[in-house]
């Protein structure tokens, strides 16, 4: 919509990081991959978060960024894969987490921690480490929280 485009332009003008999380293969299938690709190209996110399945559903890869500058493929216990404009693909292993209670919110916690570090111009590997650490804490608690119950 016009409002979204205005907000994205204003964010870019002010140096604010714009991110998109694909969030659902089902939603991608409902909208259709071409529509999602057009939306990504229109928004031109600084960071695109997705799972491996979501990346495949939209055909996001090192050759097809669809407007994203940086793609972060976060996929549970699988390695985090990062690639982008002028950035070769890099893979970051995920350390096992003992005492997993609830996976709810782990991806969102990862994204929030990553974006916070990224906005501070933290090196990419450190952004991933910080994001993994926060996500690991979230999965050891019931509900999407860092708070003790």
């Amino acid at each position: 919509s016009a409002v979204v485009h205005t907000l994205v332009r204003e964010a870019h003008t002010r140096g604010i990081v714009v991110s998109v999380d694909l969030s659902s293969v089902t939603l991608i299938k409902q909208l259709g991959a071409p529509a999602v690709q057009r939306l990504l190209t229109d928004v031109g996110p600084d960071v695109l978060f997705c799972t491996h399945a979501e990346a495949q559903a939209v055909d996001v890869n090192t050759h097809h960024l669809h407007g994203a500058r940086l793609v972060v493929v976060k996929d549970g216990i699988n390695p985090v894969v990062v690639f982008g404009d002028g950035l070769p693909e890099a893979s970051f292993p995920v350390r096992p987490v003992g005492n997993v209670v609830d996976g709810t919110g782990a991806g969102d916690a990862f994204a929030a921690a990553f974006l916070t570090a990224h906005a501070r111009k933290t090196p990419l590997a450190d952004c991933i480490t910080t994001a993994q650490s926060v996500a690991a804490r979230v999965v050891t608690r019931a509900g999407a929280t860092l708070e003790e119950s």
Side-chain angles (χ1 to χ4, degrees):
S1 81
V3 173
V4 170
H5 290 112
T6 300
L7 290 172
V8 168
R9 262 195 315 277
E10 185 65 23
H12 282 144
T13 299
R14 294 178 183 216
I16 296 170
V17 174
V18 174
S19 70
V20 170
D21 192 322
L22 290 181
S23 79
S24 168
V25 171
T26 302
L27 181 60
I28 292 166
K29 287 180 180 177
Q30 287 174 348
L31 295 172
V36 176
Q37 291 167 349
R38 280 191 303 277
L39 175 66
L40 290 173
T41 300
D42 287 348
V43 170
D46 296 296
V47 182
L48 173 65
F49 293 102
C50 56
T51 64
H52 179 71
E54 292 160 356
Q56 284 188 314
V58 180
D59 191 33
V60 170
N61 56 56
T62 56
H63 303 294
H64 300 102
L65 300 174
H66 301 293
R69 289 178 183 79
L70 179 67
V71 177
V72 179
V73 182
K74 53 185 178 62
D75 207 11
I77 62 170
N78 298 314
V80 175
V81 177
V82 181
F83 53 88
D85 191 16
L87 180 70
E89 182 173 296
S91 181
F92 300 86
V94 174
R95 280 181 268 145
V97 177
N99 194 29
V100 173
V101 174
D102 185 355
T104 305
D108 292 333
F110 179 98
F114 180 94
L115 290 169
T116 300
H118 184 69
R120 293 180 178 141
K121 310 290 188 219
T122 302
L124 182 60
D126 295 336
C127 291
I128 298 292
T129 300
T130 299
Q132 288 176 328
S133 175
V134 172
R137 285 176 44 213
V138 167
V139 299
T140 63
R141 293 165 172 79
T145 184
L146 289 173
E147 302 294 321
E148 296 289 341
S149 22

